[in-house]
Each structure stands twice: as structure tokens, then as C-alpha cells.
Amino acid sequence: LAWCNDATIYHRLAGELLQGRFPSLFRTPGYPLFLALTGVLTSERAAFALVLQMALDAMTAALLAGLAWRLFRDVRAAWLAGLFYAFCPVAIGLPAFVVSEPLGTFLVVAAMALALVRPSRLMLLAQVACWFAAVMVRPSFALLPLIVGVFFVINRELKVRLKHQAVVVGAYLCCLALWVGFNYARSG
């Protein structure tokens, strides 16, 4: 049902995490950790993680609508952004499988939403955590914080938050450097 080739790998890695090990240099631990925390160690126990993924996906649509409203101050744009995501065929199907995309997408959108709220230390820390967690779930997202940071440089309205975003990107890069160093030390 919800099990695919990646799910078998994620399941094995979640079990390794529960034993205090993470043997893969090619997979990041974010999604296996999500599975371990939700108790999904077999295909028979996947229902809770899948329901949680579906809830995260619904929140992703709502966050996208909120992002669109903050950026454009247009209710129609906000509704369209949320609805386009909610009814995207790929977005509809993925949460029904044990795959990392729904969690990774939620974390990226949450980080972007946090970038637009009133800055505070807690919000900046939460944004760094979301960016780093997103990369630990989907390594292909590694450059997204830098790309988003560029928008803060070129957009006049967002420029007032540039100093805060520089702190976020710097802290994110430190986290990423620690992860790279950890993997370098593990691989010899």
C-alpha cells in the first residue's frame, strides 16, 4: 500500500537510529528519524506517519496561502497559492507513501513563512532549525536558504529583514558545516 523501495531503506535506517547507529553516508537521517519518532518500523505501522504526513501537507497548503498573502497582500493570490498546492496531483499523492518529500516540503515552506514574520531570536532559531531539518530530510534542498536570501537582497520591501536573514544563513551554514565535518570524520 504505502510501502515503496525508498520506504524499505528508510525503515532500515530508522531501526539503525533506534540502535544508536546511522550507517549511511548517502542518506541523511531526517526522514528515518521522523519514522523512528512516529514508531514506523514496518509497513503495518505506517498509518500514523502517513496521517501525520497528510496533516503536514495540509499545513503546507495553508502556509503557502499565508506566504502569498504576506508577499502580495492579495486574498485571491493567497487562495490560489494554497489551492494550487492542495490540488497539485503530485502533492495529493505523495503523503500516502512512506517518502520524504511531504516532510521536506513542509519544512521548507515553514522556513520561508518564518522568514516573513516579525523577527525575534526564537523565530530566527526556528527558521534555522527548519532549513537544517529540511536538508537533513532532503539534501537537494541545501542551497534553498541561500537562494531565498538573494530575494531579501533584491526585493526592496524585504531588504529591511536582510540583517536577520544573514544571521539565519550564517547559522544554517554553520550547522551544515558541522554535518559535513561529521560525515568527513566518519568516512575517514
Side-chain angles (χ1 to χ4, degrees), residues 3-152:
W3 221 246
C4 60
N5 289 341
D6 280 356
T8 303
I9 295 166
Y10 287 134
H11 162 260
R12 183 181 56 78
L13 293 174
E16 292 288 335
L17 274 175
L18 289 175
Q19 300 298 319
R21 299 182 300 270
F22 193 77
S24 178
L25 288 174
F26 302 104
R27 296 274 182 165
T28 49
Y31 193 67
L33 181 60
F34 170 80
L35 293 177
L37 292 174
T38 57
V40 178
L41 297 179
T42 64
S43 60
E44 292 81 31
R45 299 199 54 199
F48 180 69
L50 297 177
V51 169
L52 190 54
Q53 281 185 175
M54 290 173 193
L56 289 173
D57 212 47
M59 287 190 284
T60 301
L63 283 172
L64 280 171
L67 271 171
W69 185 84
R70 283 186 180 274
L71 290 171
F72 304 113
R73 300 288 185 213
D74 182 340
V75 173
R76 286 179 301 212
W79 273 101
L80 284 174
L83 289 173
F84 278 152
Y85 181 80
F87 291 104
C88 170
V90 174
I92 289 171
L94 281 176
F97 294 94
V98 178
V99 293
S100 62
E101 285 85 351
L103 177 60
T105 302
F106 169 77
L107 290 166
V108 166
V109 174
M112 290 170 40
L114 288 166
L116 296 180
V117 300
R118 187 169 183 224
S120 70
R121 285 186 180 147
L122 181 61
M123 289 301 129
L124 296 177
L125 184 60
Q127 189 185 357
V128 171
C130 282
W131 281 125
F132 187 66
V135 171
M136 289 296 101
V137 170
R138 301 283 307 163
S140 59
F141 294 158
L143 294 178
L144 284 180
L146 304 174
I147 295 167
V148 169
V150 169
F151 286 102
F152 283 84

